[in-house]
Amino acid sequence: MRRIEVLAYPDIQLLDVSGPLQVFASANDFKRQAGEPAPYEVVVVAASPRIRTSAGLVLEAAVLPTHGGKIDTLLVPGGWGVNAACDDPVLVQWIAGRSRDATRTASVCSGAMLLATAGLLDGRRAVTHWGRCAEFARRFPAVRLEPDPIFIRDGNVWTSAGVTAGIDLALSLVEADLGRHTAIGVARELVVFLKRPGGQAQFSQTLKLQQGDGRFDRLHGWILENLAGDLSLTQLADHANMSPRSFSRRYREATGRTPARAIEEIRIEAARRMLERGQPVNQTARRCGFGSEETMRRGFLRVLGTNPRAYRERF
């Protein structure tokens, strides 16, 4: 049985703890239903027996184990309390020592800051919540921070992006331990829409475009439903009830992108999801409105640095 210790501290993000915890618990259920023994022993540990999360829910925790006993995984979540936790030398020292007892160490969201404070990420590739990347880069210049992926594995250290990315990370840990069949079974049990590979972006291009004032949210929905249709500037302006010139100016003010660039990003994101589901490249290019495989290939190379066929094989 693999022992997994999930660290808790005051004002921790509840889903950073409960998301991975439920993945491992569901893996146990999956194996029991198949007549096999449960593969995981998961324990929440903390310096205090009761920890209040930032959501207000109180967690009951076991005492921090002493060093020396071997464990499979140390999992360090993030949350609003992470900065105060980083300033606790006893806790940071415990993380550093317990990591040496662990076969692998992982963080969720801003929990990467605790790993970095403990010196566990120096020289390694790592990721954290997109909203903390600038702060992280300033505080930990020795870490090779990558702001986009959902999760990254560098040797025996795993880091993941914000909140729900902890579920993706845990599913990949289950896959590494028990195989893809079990990981997919757990994902289906949890009604996870898609078991996302680590190299995916933290959030969608469409969501990025909605960070403005909301004037064009309905237009973005219409674009997603008509990717293979006429998405010329004239058509977009007509749908937004504006002149083409006024539309171009106001759209760029609201989204920071030209309409043409936004259309390309939305099409590439839609194509990525199709390719990840195993759709043929030529069919994907047609359904996403690229017109030809070559046009889609050029877009992928410009935006993602790889071609559609290589992306499909990887993911």
Side-chain angles (χ1 to χ4, degrees), residues 99-300:
S99 179
R100 290 192 291 271
D101 297 334
T103 301
R104 60 192 177 193
T105 300
S107 66
V108 180
C109 194
S110 56
M113 290 187 168
L114 272 166
L115 297 192
T117 302
L120 300 176
L121 298 182
D122 288 354
R124 294 184 185 271
R125 298 170 57 237
V127 65
T128 189
H129 189 289
W130 64 267
R132 306 295 294 270
C133 282
E135 176 189 359
F136 188 101
R138 289 193 305 270
R139 290 176 60 180
F140 308 107
V143 181
R144 295 159 55 194
L145 182 68
E146 297 184 15
D148 289 330
I150 293 176
F151 61 84
I152 289 175
R153 178 184 182 181
D154 190 325
N156 66 339
V157 178
W158 303 58
T159 53
S160 65
V163 195
T164 59
I167 295 174
D168 299 286
L169 170 68
L171 285 169
S172 285
L173 294 175
V174 169
E175 182 174 3
D177 294 339
L178 308 175
R180 180 173 176 81
H181 173 70
T182 300
I184 294 298
V186 172
R188 292 183 63 183
E189 175 66 23
L190 298 179
V191 200
V192 175
F193 175 68
L194 176 69
K195 183 185 173 296
R196 299 182 295 180
Q200 278 199 351
Q202 289 197 34
F203 48 77
S204 72
Q205 295 297 332
T206 307
L207 187 60
K208 289 182 183 180
L209 294 172
Q210 291 177 349
Q211 292 180 122
D213 55 17
R215 279 180 291 174
F216 298 107
D217 286 358
R218 293 184 62 184
L219 175 64
H220 294 142
W222 177 80
I223 290 171
L224 285 169
E225 295 173 357
N226 294 274
L227 288 176
D230 180 5
L231 297 180
S232 64
L233 179 62
T234 301
Q235 281 293 104
L236 296 174
D238 285 347
H239 197 79
N241 295 316
M242 298 180 186
S243 68
R245 183 175 179 180
S246 178
F247 171 75
S248 292
R249 176 173 54 82
R250 294 185 180 181
Y251 187 86
R252 185 159 192 167
E253 290 173 353
T255 67
R257 291 163 174 76
T258 65
R261 178 60 184 272
I263 294 297
E264 180 183 58
E265 291 179 352
I266 292 172
R267 280 179 166 149
I268 287 174
E269 181 176 44
R272 288 170 64 178
R273 295 194 182 281
M274 288 186 63
L275 294 172
E276 288 159 10
R277 294 195 297 268
Q279 295 297 314
V281 173
N282 59 349
Q283 184 181 109
T284 299
R286 183 175 66 255
R287 290 180 59 184
C288 292
F290 286 101
S292 69
E293 287 187 44
E294 177 59 23
T295 301
M296 185 168 75
R297 188 187 71 85
R298 291 197 300 267
F300 265 61

Side-chain angles (χ1 to χ4, degrees), residues 296-307:
M296 185 168 75
R297 188 187 71 85
R298 291 197 300 267
F300 265 61
L301 288 173
R302 182 167 52 253
V303 175
L304 302 177
T306 189
N307 64 63

Side-chain angles (χ1 to χ4, degrees), residues 22-40 174 178-190:
Q22 187 58 58
V23 169
F24 296 123
S26 293
N28 283 343
D29 293 340
F30 186 87
K31 287 298 186 181
R32 289 194 192 99
Q33 290 168 7
E36 301 176 37
Y40 295 113
V174 169
L178 308 175
R180 180 173 176 81
H181 173 70
T182 300
I184 294 298
V186 172
R188 292 183 63 183
E189 175 66 23
L190 298 179

